[in-house]
């Protein structure tokens, strides 16, 4: 189930995101509230799946049960495995972890509580390139506090 969607205007032009994110993403409950309370404004947007590559994104619409659904004409492709890979439990785990300021790790017998300043979850800015044509998209990049263990050793962040 999808609980996030990218937002574009009716001309499919991406809308800049908040807090430095390259594109606006809308949480399912935000979309449902906007649709309910400001239907005319809601109709000025197109909601899209969260595929990492913008060319692979498909239109979605909010379902009152708390998730985004593919539009009917795209449903058959989704059933065949054209998924964006984000289950509800996966998204909730990302949200839970990135809401913490300290995450306790254990490496071998060593307890390693890492303190974080913030997390970047914007898919465009978290893309990592390996070689000339290999890409990796971590779910989030955690930026360590300067007083956190491993700050210097791990290059100030954890992917």
């Amino acid at each position: 189930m999808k609980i996030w969607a990218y937002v574009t205007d009716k001309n499919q032009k991406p809308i800049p995101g908040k807090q430095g994110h390259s594109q606006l993403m809308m949480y399912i409950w935000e979309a449902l509230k906007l649709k309910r309370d400001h239907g005319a404004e809601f109709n000025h947007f197109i909601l899209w799946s969260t595929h990492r590559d913008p060319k692979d994104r498909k239109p979605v619409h909010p379902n009152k049960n708390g998730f985004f659904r593919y539009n009917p004409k795209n449903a058959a492709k989704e059933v065949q495995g054209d998924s964006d890979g984000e289950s509800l439990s996966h998204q909730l785990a990302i949200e839970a972890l990135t809401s913490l300021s300290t995450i306790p790790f254990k490496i071998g017998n060593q307890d390693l509580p890492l303190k974080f300043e913030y997390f970047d979850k914007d898919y465009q800015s978290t893309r990592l390139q390996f070689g000339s044509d290999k890409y990796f998209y971590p779910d989030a990049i955690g930026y360590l506090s300067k007083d956190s263990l491993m700050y210097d050793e791990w290059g100030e962040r954890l992917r």
Side-chain angles (χ1 to χ4, degrees), residues 6-15 23 39-48 59-61 71:
Y6 281 108
V7 183
T8 66
D9 64 19
K10 281 294 186 183
N11 297 318
Q12 300 183 12
K13 180 180 178 193
I15 298 171
Q23 185 174 353
E41 183 182 345
F42 177 82
N43 290 331
H44 288 33
F45 300 118
I46 301 175
L47 301 171
W48 298 89
V60 295
H61 64 271
N71 293 339

Side-chain angles (χ1 to χ4, degrees), residues 2-6 25 48-53 57-58 60 70 84-86 91 123:
K2 291 137 193 61
I3 60 172
W4 291 99
Y6 281 108
M25 289 187 79
W48 298 89
S49 64
T50 56
H51 289 82
R52 302 219 189 249
D53 187 339
R57 294 181 189 157
K58 295 174 180 39
V60 295
Y70 285 98
D84 57 6
E86 299 294 337
Q91 280 292 329
Y123 295 130

Side-chain angles (χ1 to χ4, degrees):
M1 289 199 272
K2 291 137 193 61
I3 60 172
W4 291 99
Y6 281 108
V7 183
T8 66
D9 64 19
K10 281 294 186 183
N11 297 318
Q12 300 183 12
K13 180 180 178 193
I15 298 171
K18 301 171 186 170
Q19 300 174 345
H21 291 241
S22 63
Q23 185 174 353
L24 180 64
M25 289 187 79
M26 193 173 288
Y27 184 58
I28 182 60
W29 301 114
E30 293 173 300
L32 288 168
K33 184 176 185 329
L34 183 64
K35 183 177 181 181
R36 182 190 70 222
D37 298 344
H38 306 281
E41 183 182 345
F42 177 82
N43 290 331
H44 288 33
F45 300 118
I46 301 175
L47 301 171
W48 298 89
S49 64
T50 56
H51 289 82
R52 302 219 189 249
D53 187 339
K55 294 179 287 196
D56 293 334
R57 294 181 189 157
K58 295 174 180 39
V60 295
H61 64 271
N63 180 283
K64 66 181 179 180
N65 294 326
F67 56 89
F68 289 103
R69 281 197 172 158
Y70 285 98
N71 293 339
K73 67 180 181 178
N74 293 317
K77 291 180 182 177
E78 171 63 14
V79 171
Q80 293 172 5
D82 186 18
S83 171
D84 57 6
E86 299 294 337
S87 67
L88 179 59
S89 58
H90 183 95
Q91 280 292 329
L92 291 174
I94 293 166
E95 290 304 310
L97 286 171
T98 58
S99 70
L100 300 172
S101 58
T102 301
I103 300 177
F105 285 86
K106 188 169 189 103
I107 299 177
N109 291 330
Q110 181 184 8
D111 289 324
L112 193 62
L114 297 178
K115 298 178 195 174
F116 293 90
E117 288 290 322
Y118 68 96
F119 290 88
D120 186 354
K121 298 182 289 184
D122 179 36
Y123 295 130
Q124 296 302 317
S125 63
T126 61
R127 182 176 93 163
L128 304 172
Q129 185 171 357
F130 297 96
S132 61
D133 61 348
K134 304 274 186 206
Y135 297 97
F136 173 68
Y137 296 87
D139 292 318
I141 295 178
Y143 290 84
L144 297 166
S145 300
K146 289 185 180 182
D147 63 339
S148 184
L149 296 170
M150 309 307 286
Y151 177 83
D152 291 322
E153 293 87 345
W154 289 357
E156 306 169 12
R157 59 187 163 266
L158 180 64
R159 299 176 187 118

